[in-house]
Amino acid sequence: SVKIGQTQTITFTNPGPQSLGTTPTLKATSTSGLAVSFTSSTPTVCTIASTGKLAFLKAGTCTISANQAGNATYVAASTVTQSFTVGTASAITVTSSTSGNASVYGQPVTFTATISSPVSGGKLQWSVNGTNEGSQVTLTTSTTYTFVPNPQLPAGGHVVKATYLGDSTHASVSGQVLQNVSKAGTTTTVQASGTVVSATVTPVPPGAGTPTGTVAFTVNGAAAGSATVGAGGVATMTVADVGQHPVSATYSGDGNFTTSIGRRAPVGPTVVPHVTSQFPKTRAGWHRSAVYVFFTCTPNTAPLVGSCPHPITVSRNGFGQSVTVTVT
């Protein structure tokens, strides 16, 4: 007799290369909706549990058949067979070049992936926070591969992952590390002359890069306005003549750099007297002719209102004499 019923087909997905120690679940469906059963024709390499999970016994080729015997409505489906390799397990670890996986913005960081059992010609893909970075790396006989993010990682936590894409004897495997990037510290220096004030914001090593944001200025304790930090970390603005007044600059910080404050306290002029005469002093320290006292003045940040004092001639005899001048 011949059984007559509806036909059905099986769709059986090849699991792809697998590794010892894993227990993948087989996936197959029938057009009838009836459950599919599996059998292994390579029981020394792989066996099947009742749940459809594979168990690997040794490296080699695993061959699995998917069957559906049919019922009162459907005839048995044609068997579908899939074969795939089972290789030794491979592991991958990722490490950071900074202690405790911590760095500041702009600090160079190198990540290293170490693969336990790579195959020359295999592929490695780096990613940061789930986004692939750069092209796939073709493996050689080396077990270590490095990655330097470009551009630099911004402040915050970042998952840096290396994925070994697998090959004919190894399944895909990944390793990752969490890199914590802090804001870089800054220093702010102030320059002031006449009606122009400026501030230069500089990263504190090992931080690097160009800060953005604004700088708020005060002159003699009163707010004078703010300016945007531009090229080279410099912010400049025009104010009323600062004269000898103190000037401060407060940098606002941004997403990658911390705030900082710089101050310029007025520095008065340096006045240096010089004493000379026509003849050298005697051994006792006396001058044998009129003594000339002249001065050199360095204005510093408080400019001179008038000229440096004129030279003075001391012609009266006597010891312990002094000359006093005033500089404004």
Side-chain angles (χ1 to χ4, degrees):
S1 63
V2 177
K3 183 177 181 180
I4 300 174
Q6 297 183 43
T7 61
Q8 60 173 327
T9 59
I10 294 174
T11 300
F12 181 16
T13 303
N14 192 310
Q18 301 293 317
S19 293
L20 289 171
T22 61
T23 56
T25 299
L26 295 169
K27 296 179 180 180
T29 58
S30 67
T31 56
S32 65
L34 299 174
V36 176
S37 63
F38 303 98
T39 58
S40 171
S41 58
T42 53
T44 60
V45 176
C46 56
T47 59
I48 303 166
S50 59
T51 57
K53 285 189 175 182
L54 284 169
F56 300 122
L57 306 179
K58 68 177 183 179
T61 299
C62 176
T63 300
I64 303 295
S65 296
N67 302 280
Q68 213 310 300
N71 60 11
T73 304
Y74 291 91
V75 298
S78 298
T79 299
V80 178
T81 301
Q82 298 286 8
S83 295
F84 50 90
T85 58
V86 179
T88 55
S90 183
I92 184 169
T93 57
V94 178
T95 57
S96 166
S97 61
T98 59
S99 176
N101 306 330
S103 57
V104 299
Y105 179 74
Q107 179 181 1
V109 182
T110 299
F111 297 94
T112 301
T114 303
I115 308 174
S116 62
S117 303
V119 171
S120 182
K123 301 290 184 179
L124 180 75
Q125 177 66 63
W126 288 96
S127 66
V128 177
N129 300 327
T131 301
N132 288 345
E133 297 290 335
S135 302
Q136 294 178 2
V137 179
T138 301
L139 306 188
T140 61
T141 56
S142 175
T143 58
T144 59
Y145 298 86
T146 59
F147 165 63
V148 178
N150 184 22
Q152 296 277 359
L153 297 177
H158 304 279
V159 176
V160 179
K161 179 186 288 187
T163 301
Y164 177 37
L165 301 179
D167 49 56
S168 60
T169 57
H170 299 85
S172 176
V173 64
S174 297
Q176 66 185 42
V177 66
L178 176 62
Q179 184 74 19
N180 292 305
V181 182
S182 300
K183 291 184 179 183
T186 62
T187 58
T188 298
T189 56
V190 182
Q191 300 81 36
S193 178
T195 60
V196 178
V197 292
S198 64
T200 302
V201 184
T202 306
V204 176
T210 301
T212 61
T214 59
V215 172
F217 292 94
T218 64
V219 177
N220 201 27
S226 61
T228 301
V229 178
V234 178
T236 302
M237 67 176 298
T238 301
V239 297
D241 194 341
V242 298
Q244 301 180 53
H245 296 307
V247 178
S248 69
T250 302
Y251 169 55
S252 65
D254 63 16
N256 294 315
F257 294 95
T258 62
T259 63
S260 58
I261 299 175
R263 295 180 176 86
R264 187 217 72 170
V267 180
T270 301
V271 182
V272 179
H274 306 271
V275 179
T276 185
S277 61
Q278 184 177 359
F279 301 106
K281 290 192 294 185
T282 65
R283 290 184 178 179
W286 289 91
H287 290 274
R288 294 184 292 117
S289 60
V291 175
Y292 300 94
V293 182
F294 66 95
F295 309 91
T296 55
C297 300
T298 303
N300 296 317
T301 60
L304 299 178
V305 174
S307 301
C308 199
H310 295 294
I312 296 174
T313 300
V314 180
S315 56
R316 182 173 59 86
N317 289 330
F319 70 93
Q321 297 187 55
S322 65
V323 171
T324 301
V325 296
T326 299
V327 178
T328 304

